[in-house]
Each structure stands twice: as structure tokens, then as C-alpha cells.
Amino acid sequence: MHRTTTSLLLTAAPAVVAGLLVLAICNVGRGVWLVQGVAIVMMIGLAFGLARMPRALASSRFVIMAGLGLALCAWPLVGVVDGPARWLRLGGLSLYVAPVVAPAMLAAAARAHRRGRRAETVAISMLAGLALVLAAQPDLAQVLAVAVPAAVIAGRARQGWLPRLFVFAALAAAAGLAAWRDVPLAPVDHVERVFRVAWAWGIPAGLGVAAAALLFTFGLAARLARVDRSLAVVAAYYVVLFVLSLTDLTPAPLIGFGAGHLLGFGVLLGSVGTCAGASDRAPRNII
């Protein structure tokens, strides 16, 4: 379990280092450095802490994660805000909720086939619900990032054509609603524009940040597949966000400033670590 979590954490190293490089290039203030540093420490703590989740709790982790995740994503919709309702306000700080919730939900849903058709039905339905909640915020980037792997998970599910058609229709509706209602935000250099900033600084910096994104996504897919082949689809979530960040639509995961993606990666690794721990006695070809 610890070996798996450590191995997965190492996949984040290139992106985290590239993010620190961008912060240095942008000459951000002490507060930005503090938030990013605390988020990195919390990511590591979540990864190892959640990996120790008791098996009794882990067995129902998808329902727990899905319920809490949907509630957290929907919570900003309750208040009256100007612009998109994407953040939980924590005093003077704002936490971007979707990237905290989505990766772990996708990972748990990807493994639902191991628990039977009923679990698969719940899993793909929850992903459709998540996409619709994100569309209501609205958050086009997150909807698309969730919809791509969710469509793959639903397509692989051992369900009849009707349940899968329902999920595909819900994902398409969410994408359409989000695109129609999306409110573009002014991009920030060290958040959404990290690739542009790096290339503007110099070719070595640009190549370094681009390479970090590629190493992160390919490394994550490969190491998730070693735990369970079905988990590799989660890497598509990050691929979509990296591509969309090139258009200034969303932060680059783990590279752009912000606690959301770092905490979400920690939750993802904690969930995957629990899977690995529960599989210690499984045949070696599963690990």
C-alpha cells in the first residue's frame, strides 16, 4: 500500500516542480507561496492518510465519496454569488471544489465493475449527476474533463443499452448546458496561463513545463494501470484539463496555482492506495 502510494506520488513530482517554477517566473507574493506549500503538504497527508482507510469503510467508498462529492459541488449553488458558483468560501480563501472531488469519483466508478452490475449502475449514474451539477455552476472545463472518462467507463459497463444511453445523454446535455451558460473568467498568469508564461520566459522553461505535463499524465496512466487496468482512464481527466488550459479556460492541473487540484490528487491517491491495500492477497497480475 505504501509502496503504491509513494510510486503514484512520484508521478506528481514533475508537475509540482514545474508549478513552483512558474510561480517563481511570475514573482508571486508570499501568500501564494504559502497556500501552494500548504496544499502540497496536505496532498501528501491525504494520500497516505486515506490509504489507511478501514476496509469496512473502503468497501462502500464510492457511495460515500459520491454523496459527499455531489454535496460539496452543489453547495456553492446554494449561496448567492456573482459569476460561476465553483468555490467553497473558507474565510478569506476559496477552494475550487470540482478538482477535489472528480478524480476520486472517477477512480471508484472505474472499479465498480468488480462489485457487480448494481454497483456499475450506481457508479455511472453518479458520474452523470456530477456532470450535471458541474454544468449548473457552470464549469465547462470540468464537465468535459469528467465526461470523457465517464463515457469510457459507461461504455465498458456490463449494462443494457438503455442505462448507458441515459448516461451518454446526460453527459451530452451537461456539456451543452455548460457551453451555453459558461462564463469565461479573466485568465491569471500563474493559474490558467502557465504554459504561455513558461514559453514567454524562454524555450527551456516552455519545454520543461510541457514535458512535466506529459510525464505526469503518461506516468499516472501507467502506474494506475499497474494497480488496476480500469483505473488508467482517470488520466484522461487530467489530459482534457491540460488541453483546455492551453485556451486559458481552466488551471493546468498541479502546475497552475491552487489547492483544489493538489488536494484532489491526494484524495485520488488515498482511494487508489486503499484499492491496492485491499488487493494485497490478490493475484499478482492485478497489482
Side-chain angles (χ1 to χ4, degrees), residues 32 47 57 67 102 153 184 188 190 220 234-235 239 247 261 271:
V32 172
L57 181 60
I153 293 169
V188 178
H190 58 282
L220 180 63
V234 179
V239 171
T247 67
H261 280 295
S271 174

Side-chain angles (χ1 to χ4, degrees), residues 8 10-15 18 207-223 235 242 255:
L8 287 165
L10 289 176
T11 64
L207 288 175
V209 173
L214 291 173
L215 285 172
F216 168 64
T217 51
F218 282 105
L220 180 63
R223 290 182 178 178
F242 276 127
I255 299 178

